Each structure stands twice: as structure tokens, then as C-alpha cells.
Amino acid sequence: MWSFFARDPVKDFNYEILPDTQETSGIWTLHRGKRKTGGEPLSVFVYEVSTGTEEQTQLAKAAFKRMKTLRHPNILAYVDGLETEKSLYLVTEQVTPLAAHLKAQSERGGSGELEVSWGLHQTVKALSFLVNDCHLLHNNLGIWAVFVDRAGEWKLGGLDHMTPENGDASTSLPSAKAVHPDMDKYDTDFMKNCVPGMAGDVWRLGCLIWEVFNGPLPRASSLRSLGKIPKALVPHYCELVGANARARPNPARFLQNCRAPGGFLSNSFVESNLFLEEIQIKDPAEKQQFFQDLSENLDSFPEDFCKHKVLPQLLTAFEFGNAGAVVLTPLFKVGKFLSAEEYQQKIIPVIVKMFSSTDRAMRIRLLQQMEQFVQYLNDAAVNSQIFPHVVHGFTDTNPAIREQTVKSMLLLAPKLNESNLNQELMRHFARLQARDEQGPIRCNTTVCLGKIAPYLNAGTRQRVLISAFSRATKDPFPASRAAGVLGFAATHNYYSVLESAARVLPTLCTLTVDPDKNVRDQAFKAIKSFLTKLETVSEDPTKLAEIEKDVMSSAQPAGAAASWAGWAVTGVSSLTSKLIRTGPGAEGGSPAENNPVGGGTASPFKPPPASMTLPIASGLATQSDSPKVTEKNEELIGDRWDDEDWGSLEVIDMEWFWDVNCHRTWETVMFVLESHVLFDQLTRSTTLALSPPTGPREAGLSKAELAKKKREERRKELEAKRAERKAAKGPLKLGARKLD
């Protein structure tokens, strides 16, 4: 029982002092410490009664009492304390003495005037609070009494000699000069006879300013030499150290004078800090404007201030203040100062939450700046929390959001799982490439597909790539056709020799007479590349396995994807740089898509007539003439690139097909019927594509008239066949019943 009362209270203290971290601060010894339970970093001021004098012990106990009762944002914050017969422990927020902070800053290039201006503002504001609100005299103001926290905020401490402004002799404490003889240089002969009150504190404020800019004060007479004190601060500094004590300004007036336009404390950094201190009572419009301006100013602000003061306010503004998309730009700027672990803890949870926002401005900002944070996202969060929200952008009515969503897949693809990448994403890409009215978006979809091809599994590559790039080569937008050619070239290693000869080269050959010069040039380069590949195998069949080694290879891990190969690098980079934004002229699609881009000159070639193209090409030519055909055809075949879907149309009973889909136009039926024969025509009748025009074309019929005549002929053929089938079945008698 007696051992319980005899326990050492220091052992039960909830704070741990780290070894080898002591630093002298007046009569105290400053240590770095931490909370035993949570590990929160703190500072611990320790005073040993056994090593101090009676006067020093009296000062330490007085400071201990003052720290408990004083609360102000610019005064060192008291956390906890312990008083024993042997020692006094004073726990505060984590701080560093100002002298040590300035020394460290000078080694890194020196403190900027912005940081010093805000630090002096805080110190003077704390002094004004003591003098004007609490009617207390600090009596110990100096560089040793100021501390700096993690955010670079200056805190006033050193309350050892604080006394009431009108206190009697019984409440007086030993002066600083009596305890520390070296403090005599901060006192002058005329101060002994000056009027009582704040004059001494104001004088020492001037000494503090001198030491901040010039280093330790050697003697009182050195105050006459301005040294490195900024010109904007000189007149106000001279008022502080003037010989006439009555003329020295009150700290509040000194602050007001320095905050006047052109004053030392009138700058963007001080204004931003003052706004952050009152942000909770600001109007939403003022907050919006502040965060917009903050992005421009952050580059000149101190790093510690951005990490420990601006960042918490940004996160709070998003969580509780409905700040919206305006916080994203400054948030990502501040994120550059964080370590990978800090980024994961502080910013990533907020970003994941932002993706679920329905605010379009928020979504497009996230997509535009994804490159800054994608490396910190883990695969699980991308697939379960981010990608399901991002895919909504593919169907957004705003072209800018659709475009940014496509571009973001370049960054997200390495982190997507099998289902999201090879099924969900391919479905959206197929829809964009076939239906989107914006040519640049269709083009960027093709470019993106070529870049993420290494991440696709072998089955998806075999099913998607050739069909997708072939569709792109028939796009009315010239840049999309060029992107299709470059896509073939960039993914050449994923095609077998048979596919290259039977499917890729016939498609590329049709582009050698493309109206756009740039498309023709890219097509010739790609054809030469594929021909070289075929010639190599023809000369040495043993190289077939080496050339086709990537055809059935598994998807590459993140970071292993190759860029556009060879000449395709320049082609695609120059292409996407022009198409990376959907301009106003592209709205609606039709005017922009009919104009060649990409540097192509006026072509001496004319578009080939319909009879010079393959059946599928003639169908697409009709598609460009009649948008209704395109829309209805897409409804029939779905958003798929799968060649098997096209072939499956062969088994459909046309009589049933017409009865169920009677609302379809004959043009749509004819287009679907002729589409499924593409592969056979490519492999067996490639010469048909280059046959000269004959028949009605020579009679002077226009392209539209010729297409209409063909459709009418086919319609009559189908009607005749349908009539034959009905005749073979016999008439259906109403009311007839088959008897057993």
C-alpha cells in the first residue's frame, strides 16, 4: 500500500522524452518528445530544481502557471504539465527555437521575406494581445522567446518574467538582466527612467527585428545600423527603437502601419494566412475566389506552410465546406511536397471520394490532372471505387468529359483487372468509335486502344484490334483514318502472318488512294512494314515462330507497355497533339470531318467510286451518306468489335428477321447482309476491289443513284425469295385443325 503512494509520478507521465534532443532555452531545457499512446510529436520543456537558483525556480513556476491560463493562436500552446519536487515538465506543441530555425533556413538559402513578414505579424499580434487585452508585460521579448512550429508559424513563449501592467512590488519577479547578465545589451540607460508600461516590450520588439535580419545583436549601439532590414520596414523599426519612449507605438498601431498599402506586412502571403484564419466565417463566393487565387500564389509560399497549414484547410474545405472543384488545383500543387506515405494517408482518400461526385467541373478536373496522383492509387481502389464512376464519362453529353475520360484510360489501364479492361472498357471503346459524333474523340479512342494493347489479354487482342483499326480506316474524319493506320503499325507484333496478309494488308491497300495526303503517306509506310515482315518469313520460314512470339502472349504488367514503334512515334504524337482538345468547330461532326487535317495538302486523287470498293466499303460509303443507316445498323449489331458477331448473321432466317424487325428500313437489312461477307471477299476476291467501274456507273449515274438502284434490285430479289418460300409452305387456312 505504501509503495503505491511512493510511486514516481514521472513514470506515469503520458509523454516520452526522446534521448539526445535537448537544447537550452533560457532557464529551461527543450526536448523533443512524443505521446506514449498515439506517438504524436511534441516538445517538452524541463526545468531541474536542483541545478537552478531560487530566483530561477520562482520564474519557472510562474511561467508554468502562465502557460496553463493563457490561450491565443500566436502564443505557444500548452498541452500538459507535471510539477514535482525535483523537476517541472511543460509539454507544448512541437516547436523549434527561432534562432535554430533561422540558422537552418540560412543553410538552405535563407528565409524569404514572405515567411519573415508573417512571423513578425504573428509575434506583434501576440504582444498586442498581452498588452492591450490582458494588460500584461512580457518583459522577456527576444529571439530566444519566439518558437516556430511545423507549419512555420511563429509562437511567442518565454513567459518567465511576465507581470501585470500595474502590478505592485509583491507580484514583481526578478528581471531578465538579474538572472542572465548577458541580457544587459537589450537594456539602455534611458529605459531605466522611461514611463512605465509597454515601452520596454516595444524596444525589445525592435531588437528582435534587428536580430532576425542581421543575426545576434553584439551591443545596443548596433541598433543604429540598419543592416539588412528591408526598406519598407525601416521607418516603423526606427519608431520602435526611438529614444523617446512616449513616441514608441502601441503594438496594435505598429501592426496597422505595417499593413498599409506598400508596407512590409502587406503581401499575398500575409493576406492568405489572414483569410485562412477566418475561412469558417467567409461567404462561399469569397472562398471560391480565394482558392482560385491561391493556386497562383502557392509556388512562392514556404513548403512547410503549404504542407501543414494550407493542406488541412483544403481538405476541410472539401469535406465540410462544399468548396468543389476549385480546391483540386491547389490540392495537387501542395501534394508535390508530400512523401508517398503522406500522400496515401492525406490526399488519396479525398480523391477517391471526389470521383463519386456528380459535379461535372470536379470530374473533368480530376481527369485532367490524373497524371499527378495516379501513381499513388492502388489497383483495388481503382477497380472498385474509381473506375465504376469514371466510365460514366464515356456516355456523358459533354464532349470534353468524354475526351478526357478516353485519355485517362492510358493511365488507368495498367491498374484495371481482367473484367474491367477486357470487357467493360472494350465495350465503351467500341461504342465511342462507332457512334460518337465528334471526330477527335473517335480518333483519340483509336490512339488509346493502340497504346493499351499490351495490357489486353491475347483473346481480346485477337478479337478487337484488327476490327477496331479497320473500322477506323473507314472513318469520315481523316485523322481517325490516320490513327487506324498507325494503330496497325504500332501493334504489328500481335498479328500472325496469315492475319497480316489476309486482313491487315487489304485494309491498308484501300487507303493508298485516300483523299488525304497524310493518310496515304502513313498507309504506304505501314504496307512496307508488313510486307517486310512477310518477305522475312518467306525467305526463312524458320523465323515464323520468332515473329509470332507475341501473338498469343499474355498481358504485360504495369509499366512494361511499349510505346508506338518506329515511325509511328512521331506520327501519333503529332496527331494527338492536334486532337487532344475538341474544338468548337468539331461540334456536330460533319463540317470538321470532311476537311483533311494533319498537314495534308490538296489531294490530286478523287474519292474512289463505290464500285471500286469492297462490299463492306460500299456499305460504309452509304452509311456516311445516310446517318439513319448508321444508327439503325448499330442497333442491330450492338457495340461490339467481335467478328464472330458479324458471322452469326448468316444463320438468321430472313423471313423471321423481317417479321420481327418490320420497322427496320430495307437499307439497314441490305447493309447487314452484305457486311458479313467481308472476310471471304478479302481472302478470295481482293482483285474485285480494284476492278474498273462498269454498268450504270458508266452511264453517268451519280453515286447516290447507283446505290439506290442496287438497293432496289436487292429488295426485289428478297421479296421474290420470300414469295417462293410462302408458296412452298402452302396457304394457311384459318380455323383448320389438325386431327390425330
Side-chain angles (χ1 to χ4, degrees):
M1 176 178 177
W2 294 108
S3 61
F4 173 80
F5 292 103
R7 277 170 41 177
D8 186 1
V10 177
K11 294 182 179 180
D12 298 331
F13 201 39
N14 194 29
Y15 306 92
E16 178 183 353
I17 297 177
L18 302 180
D20 302 326
T21 60
Q22 65 181 23
E23 188 171 350
T24 302
S25 178
I27 62 175
W28 301 85
T29 303
L30 176 60
H31 300 263
R32 284 194 296 115
K34 64 179 181 179
R35 196 184 298 269
K36 290 181 179 179
T37 52
E40 176 189 357
L42 298 163
S43 291
V44 182
F45 291 83
V46 181
Y47 173 75
E48 299 291 346
V49 177
S50 58
T51 59
T53 63
E54 184 178 348
E55 291 179 336
Q56 291 176 337
T57 302
Q58 182 184 2
L59 293 173
K61 291 183 178 181
F64 190 89
K65 180 180 179 181
R66 289 293 183 187
M67 287 292 293
K68 282 185 175 181
T69 55
L70 278 176
R71 287 289 187 272
H72 190 269
N74 304 126
I75 293 180
L76 192 60
Y78 172 85
V79 176
D80 202 350
L82 176 65
E83 184 176 357
T84 67
E85 295 180 356
K86 299 180 179 179
S87 307
L88 273 76
Y89 296 89
L90 193 60
V91 183
T92 68
E93 58 185 317
Q94 186 182 18
V95 292
T96 303
L98 178 59
H101 175 76
L102 294 176
K103 182 180 179 180
Q105 290 292 93
S106 64
E107 294 174 354
R108 292 185 291 179
S111 298
E113 285 192 4
L114 291 180
E115 182 181 358
V116 173
S117 66
W118 176 239
L120 290 177
H121 184 283
Q122 292 176 297
T123 305
V124 177
K125 196 172 181 180
L127 184 62
S128 176
F129 168 73
L130 294 176
V131 171
N132 298 313
D133 298 332
C134 302
H135 303 288
L136 297 172
L137 299 179
H138 190 278
N139 295 322
N140 191 33
L141 184 59
I143 198 170
W144 58 87
V146 180
F147 301 87
V148 184
D149 67 6
R150 294 187 303 168
E153 306 263 275
W154 291 16
K155 306 286 186 174
L156 182 60
L159 309 183
D160 308 351
H161 300 272
M162 183 174 292
T163 58
E165 185 177 9
N166 298 319
D168 52 21
S170 61
T171 60
S172 62
L173 295 172
S175 65
K177 185 172 63 174
V179 179
H180 305 286
D182 57 336
M183 300 287 290
D184 185 57
K185 59 187 176 183
Y186 298 101
D187 219 345
T188 58
D189 293 338
F190 65 83
M191 285 184 63
K192 299 176 182 178
N193 300 321
C194 70
V195 294
M198 63 179 181
D201 284 339
V202 173
W203 167 275
R204 294 186 183 91
L205 176 61
C207 297
L208 170 64
I209 293 175
W210 195 95
E211 290 192 320
V212 166
F213 290 101
N214 299 311
L217 180 67
R219 63 190 67 86
S221 59
S222 300
L223 296 173
R224 300 174 184 174
S225 175
L226 299 177
K228 300 179 182 179
I229 298 177
K231 292 182 179 180
L233 189 58
V234 167
H236 309 294
Y237 159 78
C238 292
E239 291 180 354
L240 298 178
V241 295
N244 185 358
R246 296 180 182 273
R248 293 175 194 160
N250 184 284
R253 185 164 66 86
F254 171 81
L255 200 61
Q256 183 179 0
N257 295 339
C258 292
R259 291 272 296 122
F264 183 69
L265 302 184
S266 178
N267 55 61
S268 60
F269 188 50
V270 174
E271 296 292 342
S272 299
N273 276 282
L274 293 176
F275 190 95
L276 287 174
E277 289 184 350
E278 302 174 351
I279 193 171
Q280 304 300 332
I281 60 174
K282 297 292 184 180
D283 295 333
E286 292 178 314
K287 294 180 183 179
Q288 293 277 333
Q289 187 62 43
F290 170 75
F291 287 124
Q292 290 177 2
D293 299 337
L294 182 63
S295 301
E296 302 175 0
N297 298 326
L298 278 178
D299 294 331
S300 61
F301 289 176
E303 178 179 330
D304 291 337
F305 168 79
C306 294
K307 289 170 57 177
H308 301 292
K309 186 167 184 180
V310 175
L311 179 59
Q313 292 291 350
L314 290 173
L315 299 178
T316 302
F318 172 75
E319 289 282 350
F320 309 107
N322 297 322
V326 292
V327 304
L328 286 177
T329 301
L331 181 66
F332 292 138
K333 276 193 173 184
V334 175
K336 296 178 181 179
F337 301 128
L338 303 179
S339 64
E341 183 179 356
E342 291 174 326
Y343 206 102
Q344 284 282 352
Q345 294 177 351
K346 298 180 179 179
I347 296 185
I348 290 301
V350 177
I351 291 177
V352 171
K353 186 176 180 180
M354 286 178 177
F355 271 105
S356 62
S357 172
T358 57
D359 182 7
R360 278 182 167 175
M362 174 78 73
R363 288 161 55 193
I364 197 167
R365 291 277 185 90
L366 284 171
L367 296 173
Q368 288 172 340
Q369 304 189 50
M370 185 177 290
E371 190 173 0
Q372 301 187 33
F373 60 83
V374 68
Q375 66 269 26
Y376 301 106
L377 298 174
N378 59 66
D379 295 0
V382 169
N383 286 282
S384 62
Q385 297 176 276
I386 294 179
F387 183 75
H389 298 292
V390 172
V391 292
H392 294 311
F394 289 123
T395 56
D396 199 282
T397 56
N398 188 338
I401 293 182
R402 296 200 305 273
E403 179 192 32
Q404 291 298 331
T405 304
V406 171
K407 290 160 60 178
S408 69
M409 291 303 109
L410 294 173
L411 302 171
L412 292 181
K415 298 178 179 290
L416 295 180
N417 58 29
E418 176 78 12
S419 175
N420 286 336
L421 178 62
N422 293 281
Q423 298 178 24
E424 184 72 9
L425 181 58
M426 293 300 101
R427 182 173 66 84
H428 287 288
F429 270 20
R431 180 188 172 280
L432 285 176
Q433 197 186 41
R435 293 189 182 184
D436 201 287
E437 70 276 8
Q438 299 292 333
I441 294 179
R442 298 196 302 272
C443 174
N444 283 345
T445 302
T446 303
V447 172
C448 183
L449 178 63
K451 285 183 173 290
I452 68 174
Y455 302 116
L456 303 175
N457 61 38
T460 303
R461 288 199 299 261
Q462 293 294 312
R463 187 179 70 253
V464 166
L465 293 184
I466 294 181
S467 299
F469 295 144
S470 296
R471 173 182 285 178
T473 60
K474 300 172 180 65
D475 195 289
F477 190 45
S480 293
R481 300 198 295 274
V485 176
L486 297 178
F488 274 127
T491 57
H492 68 94
N493 54 314
Y494 297 123
Y495 311 128
S496 66
V497 173
L498 180 60
E499 287 176 324
S500 299
R503 302 183 65 187
V504 178
L505 279 174
T507 302
L508 294 175
C509 286
T510 61
L511 297 177
T512 57
V513 290
D514 191 272
D516 188 84
K517 178 67 164 57
N518 181 58
V519 176
R520 296 196 302 272
D521 292 343
Q522 302 293 358
F524 281 118
K525 292 178 182 179
I527 290 171
K528 292 177 183 178
S529 175
F530 278 97
L531 286 177
T532 301
K533 177 179 178 180
L534 296 178
E535 289 176 359
T536 302
V537 176
S538 177
E539 293 293 333
D540 187 1
T542 60
K543 294 184 178 180
L544 178 62
E546 179 182 353
I547 290 178
E548 294 185 350
K549 63 180 181 179
D550 294 333
V551 174
M552 299 304 295
S553 61
S554 58
Q556 297 184 12
S563 60
W564 297 90
W567 55 267
V569 175
T570 304
V572 171
S573 61
S574 62
L575 179 67
T576 54
S577 65
K578 297 176 183 178
L579 301 172
I580 208 68
R581 299 178 183 87
T582 305
E587 295 290 340
S590 55
E593 291 173 359
N594 295 328
N595 297 327
V597 298
T601 59
S603 172
F605 296 93
K606 295 182 179 180
S611 59
M612 292 185 65
T613 58
L614 297 176
I616 183 67
S618 65
L620 286 173
T622 306
Q623 176 184 357
S624 64
D625 294 337
S626 177
K628 293 183 179 179
V629 176
T630 304
E631 182 179 353
K632 293 180 180 295
N633 180 53
E634 291 299 337
E635 291 175 9
L636 288 174
I637 64 175
D639 297 329
R640 299 287 297 274
W641 281 318
D642 200 336
D643 284 315
E644 296 175 359
D645 288 346
W646 294 86
S648 63
L649 295 176
E650 298 179 11
V651 300
I652 294 179
D653 181 20
M654 287 309 303
E655 181 179 344
W656 169 85
F657 183 87
W658 179 251
D659 291 338
V660 176
N661 299 278
C662 58
H663 64 284
R664 309 292 188 185
T665 63
W666 276 105
E667 291 82 357
T668 303
V669 177
M670 299 309 301
F671 175 74
V672 175
L673 284 175
E674 67 180 1
S675 298
H676 77 276
V677 299
L678 170 62
F679 186 77
D680 290 339
Q681 291 290 342
L682 285 175
T683 55
R684 294 180 297 179
S685 306
T686 54
T687 57
L688 178 63
L690 300 178
S691 61
T694 59
R697 186 63 174 169
E698 295 178 354
L701 294 178
S702 66
K703 181 179 178 182
E705 292 172 345
L706 180 61
K708 182 177 180 180
K709 186 174 181 179
K710 286 184 177 181
R711 292 195 296 270
E712 184 66 21
E713 292 175 354
R714 290 170 182 167
R715 183 181 65 80
K716 292 179 180 180
E717 291 177 3
L718 286 176
E719 286 180 342
K721 290 181 180 180
R722 183 168 176 264
E724 291 177 1
R725 290 173 183 169
K726 286 188 176 182
K729 293 179 180 180
L732 180 61
K733 297 180 181 180
L734 296 176
R737 184 175 181 182
K738 185 176 180 181
L739 300 175
D740 294 332

